Amino acid sequence: MRIPSAAPTRLGDDEAAAVRAAVERVIADGPWILGPEVESFEADFAAYTGLPHAVGVGNGTDALAVAMSALGLAPGAGVLVAADEGGYAATAARLVGLVPVVMDVARSGVVDVATASAAHRPGVEAVVVTHLHGDAVPLAELDAWRRRHGLALVEDCAQAHGLRIGGRHVGTTGDAATFSFYPTKNLGAVGDAGLVGFSDTSVAERARALRQYGWTDERFRPDLPSGRNTRLDPLQAAVLSARLPHLDARNLRRRELARRWRDALAGSAVLWGDPETTVAHHAVAVTDDRDGLAAHLSARGIDTAVHYPHLVGEMPGLSAEGAPTPVAASLARRILSVPCFPELTDDEADRVGAALQDWTPRG
């Protein structure tokens, strides 16, 4: 049997039973739009992360769009986004009338003060930092820099559920934190779902209105611009509440697998990121022989993926602006994601580890 690059439908028995019970409860009892299930998950997730306010939305991209709208950025303002973020933050910026401005990344693969400073220009009002592959962006200096320049900070935590640095959950430094619960995420729904968190009460209240057409005091009358229909589905909220207690254990398994792959690749390739500041959403090998590694693993029945093959500046529909991004371009040609999900069996893990260990790069 081939080993998939991801397997979101694999769940442990206890977690699967909790998910089935949650689905059956919502179907039987309702309501089927917003209501107590959504409110309960918002409260649970806020308590888990330490976010003062959590607003459930339809997906992670809408979370980014609602965050940017709720923060009141001026129409046409620039938003700094990482060149390698997959296009999600840039898409959200375009959806709400903002201009994505790409930043290169440091050799660590994530943005820092130097790359943000190089891309910053007049008209930029916000910076989105993406904790890519579940690895934390070092925020202390970057947060101080953006405050000096009067920029809003949005943390894209779509791949970093449960990631804590010094006991503090990512997403609690910026003005807004966004999460996707796409099925393959560390905390996944059984469809699309998202959430945006805020520290400011008034901004959170604005976001709650924006997720439902911009209604505030009266239904059927949008009072705010950029309103949309992006309500978190109660069924997905119930599933996420059922799965949340399992998240830390699942992240521990991901980190254990990533450490194993790091050791197996020693001498032939490196594994992306810092093992001390990750929840290993992806385990990304970085090698000059990406095609050779993919072929080697495929021949042994192991699927792989590339996250992400195209940079934001290479996506015609986004019309992103900004300077060249040579470091991000170099990494995009050299990255390969190998299986790293919690339900990987011990036998499968042995196969992946052995295949990585016996690979020799060409050249």
Side-chain angles (χ1 to χ4, degrees):
M1 296 289 291
R2 294 194 67 84
I3 300 173
S5 60
T9 60
R10 292 191 191 181
L11 297 177
D13 290 344
D14 290 346
E15 191 170 1
V19 167
R20 283 193 295 270
V23 171
E24 291 169 0
R25 182 179 68 248
V26 174
I27 291 174
D29 299 338
W32 291 355
I33 298 292
L34 293 178
E37 296 285 358
V38 173
E39 294 168 2
S40 178
F41 175 65
E42 289 172 339
D44 289 347
F45 197 72
Y48 174 81
T49 57
L51 288 164
H53 304 283
V55 180
V57 296
N59 56 69
T61 305
D62 277 351
L64 286 158
V66 168
M68 294 178 197
S69 294
L71 290 171
L73 305 178
V79 178
L80 296 174
V81 300
D84 61 354
E85 57 94 7
Y88 308 111
T91 296
R94 284 296 183 193
L95 284 172
V96 296
L98 304 172
V99 179
V101 179
V102 295
M103 302 177 281
D104 203 359
V105 297
R107 297 199 178 276
S108 62
V110 294
V111 299
D112 61 12
V113 171
T115 60
S117 296
H120 184 242
R121 66 185 196 188
V124 166
E125 292 190 6
V127 54
V128 179
V129 297
T130 300
H131 300 292
L132 195 64
H133 307 312
D135 283 41
V137 174
L139 276 180
E141 290 185 4
L142 193 57
D143 184 45
W145 172 84
R146 66 95 180 185
R147 290 179 185 277
R148 290 197 298 271
H149 290 277
L151 305 182
L153 174 61
V154 178
E155 292 186 62
D156 181 358
C157 307
Q159 301 180 3
H161 316 91
L163 177 56
R164 298 174 180 85
I165 305 300
R168 182 177 183 178
H169 199 287
V170 295
T172 55
T173 297
D175 299 294
T178 64
F179 296 83
S180 166
F181 303 112
Y182 186 81
T184 58
K185 302 300 186 187
N186 292 42
L187 179 61
V190 293
D192 266 324
L195 180 141
V196 56
F198 301 97
S199 58
D200 187 282
T201 301
S202 62
V203 178
E205 290 174 351
R206 182 179 175 88
R208 291 189 188 280
L210 289 170
R211 74 173 173 186
Q212 187 165 231
Y213 306 110
W215 295 342
T216 54
D217 296 331
E218 183 179 336
R219 288 188 67 190
F220 310 120
R221 188 191 72 190
D223 296 315
L224 299 176
S226 300
R228 60 190 60 230
N229 178 12
T230 181
R231 298 171 292 219
L232 176 60
D233 188 292
L235 187 146
Q236 302 298 351
V239 168
L240 292 166
S241 288
R243 300 194 71 186
L244 183 59
H246 301 270
L247 176 57
D248 287 341
R250 291 169 58 84
N251 282 345
L252 179 60
R253 171 67 168 168
R254 286 179 181 270
R255 285 193 292 265
E256 289 171 345
L257 291 170
R259 289 191 189 98
R260 186 170 176 179
W261 304 165
R262 190 181 303 274
D263 292 343
L265 285 166
S268 61
V270 298
L271 204 70
W272 176 291
D274 183 340
E276 301 304 318
T277 57
T278 188
V279 285
H281 174 61
H282 296 135
V284 181
V286 183
T287 171
D288 291 333
D289 187 21
R290 193 239 317 267
D291 292 345
L293 178 56
H296 172 84
L297 293 175
S298 182
R300 286 154 180 78
I302 301 167
D303 292 339
T304 58
V306 177
H307 299 97
Y308 298 96
H310 304 293
L311 301 181
V312 172
E314 299 169 344
M315 300 177 183
L318 296 179
S319 300
E321 301 179 7
T325 55
V327 177
S330 174
L331 284 169
R333 295 189 295 267
R334 300 165 58 223
I335 54 175
L336 186 73
S337 297
V338 301
C340 187
F341 52 89
E343 289 76 27
L344 204 66
T345 68
D346 290 342
D347 177 67
E348 289 172 329
D350 289 342
R351 287 172 57 192
V352 174
L356 293 174
Q357 194 162 19
D358 69 14
W359 173 66
T360 301
R362 295 173 294 192

